Amino acid sequence: MIDVTRNLRPDDIAEMALRLDRARFVEAFGAPLLLVRADDAEGELLMTLADGATRGGARIEPTMGFETVSEGRRTTGSTTPRSMRPFGGAQVRVRLLRGIHVAVPLRKRADAGKAFSERISLGRARNNDIVLRHESVSKFHAWFRCDEDGGFYVGDATSHNGTYVNDELVVAGSSVLVSPGATLRFGSVEAVLVPPEILWDALHVRA
């Protein structure tokens, strides 16, 4: 079997997945993870993400939807949105085989400088909950929020290079529902939303 854990950072998340059973692994996170692609093994993007773990941070408080909300859909090509296609451990495993990814739980980072408790901030500046140190990412680029049913939404903070869900631009001032398996792009940094149970499955798939 090909070992895909070599392409997953930080190392302790892979170790947890192999040590814990599925239910305990899911309970340890309590939120989806953002699986961020980091092609440069020595680059600042990977190093900063791996060091700035959010796993021990607080969960965000649910909010009622007062913004314009739309479901992220692909506007060209296939008529089936990527987020609606079958998505499971096998698809995550393929991603890990193709390159290095950092697993970032969607939780507040304890030492971040952003005060609002109902959003997870993302951007190039180091006071964000999720720090993407990449030239294409704005200082405060985007945010995540969740509703009372546990659904996660992404909004764009008037970023310079845009936030995309399944190749569709997120309009500033609106938020987009993000389904498991949806591909997100912040500037040129690509990520996918992965529930913890699917990440666990990916590391236990037998090739």
Side-chain angles (χ1 to χ4, degrees):
M1 184 177 74
I2 300 174
D3 181 16
V4 298
T5 62
R6 70 181 188 274
N7 280 341
L8 180 65
R9 306 286 192 279
D11 295 336
D12 65 335
I13 288 186
E15 292 169 1
M16 283 179 60
L18 298 177
R19 175 170 47 87
L20 301 177
D21 63 32
R22 194 173 190 262
R24 290 175 63 199
F25 183 75
V26 172
E27 183 180 0
F29 290 99
L33 299 100
L34 199 62
L35 202 60
V36 181
R37 178 155 185 163
D39 293 321
D40 185 355
E42 303 297 328
E44 189 178 14
L45 174 66
L46 188 151
M47 300 300 181
T48 305
L49 277 172
D51 290 342
T54 59
R55 182 161 52 97
R59 300 181 188 184
I60 56 174
E61 298 175 2
T63 60
M64 297 298 291
F66 57 86
E67 300 163 302
T68 303
V69 175
S70 60
E71 182 175 358
R73 294 184 178 276
R74 186 178 174 87
T75 57
T76 58
S78 171
T79 57
T80 303
R82 290 186 198 174
S83 58
M84 299 294 288
R85 295 178 181 175
F87 179 72
Q91 286 74 30
V92 174
R93 184 180 176 82
V94 168
R95 284 183 171 272
L96 291 174
L97 287 171
R98 290 175 177 170
I100 297 173
H101 289 73
V102 183
V104 184
L106 289 184
R107 302 182 74 139
K108 298 288 292 180
R109 185 164 61 89
D111 58 347
K114 301 290 186 182
F116 42 81
S117 60
E118 76 283 1
R119 292 183 180 182
I120 296 169
S121 61
L122 178 150
R124 192 178 74 250
R126 296 182 185 274
N127 65 342
N128 288 290
D129 296 301
I130 299 174
V131 181
L132 299 182
R133 297 293 291 177
H134 193 275
E135 60 185 6
S136 68
V137 177
S138 297
K139 290 181 179 180
F140 175 36
H141 194 105
W143 71 85
F144 289 91
R145 66 179 181 88
C146 71
D147 61 24
E148 293 181 331
D149 297 321
F152 274 78
Y153 298 74
V154 65
D156 182 79
T158 320
S159 66
H160 183 70
N161 290 315
T163 300
Y164 295 80
V165 177
N166 295 332
D167 292 333
E168 182 177 336
L169 179 67
V170 177
V171 178
S174 69
S175 59
V176 176
L177 178 63
V178 185
S179 302
T183 299
L184 299 96
R185 185 158 50 85
F186 309 98
S188 60
V189 177
E190 182 180 301
V192 63
L193 189 75
V194 180
E197 60 269 25
I198 291 182
L199 180 59
W200 189 95
D201 291 344
L203 301 180
H204 289 79
V205 170
R206 296 289 175 179

